[in-house]
Amino acid sequence: MAKFKRILLKLSGESLAGEKKQGIDEERLAEYARQIKEAVEMGVQVGIVIGGGNIFRGLSGAGKGFDRVKGDQMGMCATVINSLALSSALDAIGQPNRVLTAIGMEPIGELYSKWKAISAMERGEVAIMSGGTGCPYFTTDTGSSLRGIEIEADVMLKGTRVDGVYTADPEKDPAATKFPSITYAEVISRGLKVMDITATAMCMQNNLPIYVFNMDIVGNLRRVLEGELVGTLVHN
Ligand code: UDP
């Protein structure tokens, strides 16, 4: 029995790039698709939000002279590209899925609504909610908090390259230790970079717990769903 009935899985664009660091790594994509199919087979309803950092980020574009709003719109389109890639990888292994877009762009995807996402998940389809929030100056972390709250997910699973929340960046500080669980208030007071402040505040106010774990280790999504303590729970 899975621990959660409905999840919002947030995947970063960067991790989709795998070893390539940019663009899409087909092997990583296929691995993610297999793990997601396994979650559906466990009876879990799966909603997904993917970032776009492997292709374009509005803020770094602004530093290079791009207009910030247009740069963010490019970033949102990047999340749609990643979502279509995941959809195609899920199709290839026979996992039904649906791409919903925050901005109207039919026939690429259907315009998102909470009810479309929920009815897709209830039919056993993976609902891939692309385009972030549809608004500039936000991130896909905020997009996934928003969608997670809207679709009434039991938890947001944040699949990253690290296996949880640490006292400091474990890639820079070898003395950093991992929290098995931590409150949102402590994340904010310690200035820990779990998600940006807007996303953290939304989850805190709406009581959506986040579980941070390493999605790049094959089998970890199943382990989280089975209740194994492979990451960090952030809660109120
Ligand atoms: N973005 C946006 N509004 C949103 C979500 C994303 O403008 O609601 C843009 C923003 O430019 C961001 C880019 O899309 O930099 C890619 O998203 P993000 O940086 O969150 O991707 P990740 O870091 O997860 O790969």
Side-chain angles (χ1 to χ4, degrees):
M1 261 300 275
K3 204 169 167 228
F4 307 106
K5 188 171 170 284
R6 182 179 293 159
I7 61 167
L8 186 294
L9 176 64
K10 159 79 207 295
L11 300 173
S12 82
E14 252 169 36
S15 39
L16 218 57
E19 303 306 317
K20 291 185 176 175
K21 309 275 180 231
Q22 257 194 29
I24 299 170
D25 179 276
E26 299 76 15
E27 271 172 42
R28 174 62 52 77
L29 188 67
E31 248 169 38
Y32 280 176
R34 281 193 291 271
Q35 292 199 67
I36 292 162
K37 185 168 194 259
E38 195 176 16
V40 177
E41 285 166 355
M42 289 172 76
V44 179
Q45 294 183 13
V46 183
I48 296 184
V49 168
I50 315 181
N54 53 326
I55 300 172
F56 198 84
R57 279 207 177 93
L59 198 56
S60 41
K64 293 174 194 146
F66 283 91
D67 172 74
R68 174 67 195 268
V69 172
K70 290 206 165 97
D72 279 341
Q73 288 169 337
M74 290 164 72
M76 287 185 265
C77 289
T79 73
V80 178
I81 293 175
N82 286 335
S83 299
L84 292 171
L86 181 65
S87 166
S88 165
L90 289 167
D91 287 341
I93 56 170
Q95 171 55 55
N97 65 86
R98 182 162 300 241
V99 176
L100 300 167
T101 59
I103 309 152
M105 47 173 79
E106 276 163 353
I108 287 176
E110 263 177 77
L111 188 60
Y112 165 84
S113 85
K114 161 184 176 167
W115 298 279
K116 279 184 200 163
I118 290 179
S119 58
M121 289 185 294
E122 284 175 344
R123 282 194 300 270
E125 294 173 17
V126 173
I128 308 173
M129 294 165 274
S130 67
T133 61
C135 299
Y137 296 95
F138 287 100
T139 61
T140 46
D141 274 346
T142 308
S144 58
S145 308
L146 174 64
R147 298 305 185 219
I149 295 160
E150 278 188 280
I151 65 165
E152 299 166 37
D154 300 318
V155 67
M156 185 209 295
L157 301 183
K158 188 170 154 67
T160 64
R161 290 181 298 156
V162 282
D163 64 350
V165 180
Y166 282 76
T167 47
D169 184 347
E171 287 175 355
K172 289 182 191 143
D173 181 355
T177 54
K178 187 173 117 180
F179 296 99
S181 76
I182 186 168
T183 61
Y184 290 112
E186 208 175 343
V187 163
I188 293 172
S189 69
R190 284 175 176 260
L192 299 172
K193 292 189 177 60
V194 179
M195 299 199 298
D196 56 77
I197 296 267
T198 319
T200 310
M202 275 201 75
C203 289
M204 188 171 155
Q205 279 167 353
N206 294 283
N207 218 8
L208 177 68
I210 319 168
Y211 197 79
V212 183
F213 73 109
N214 187 341
M215 176 86 181
D216 297 351
I217 298 176
V218 176
N220 257 4
L221 179 57
R222 175 182 45 77
R223 290 184 192 101
V224 171
L225 296 173
E226 284 172 345
E228 237 183 87
L229 304 175
V230 290
T232 300
L233 179 72
V234 188
H235 58 94
N236 267 328

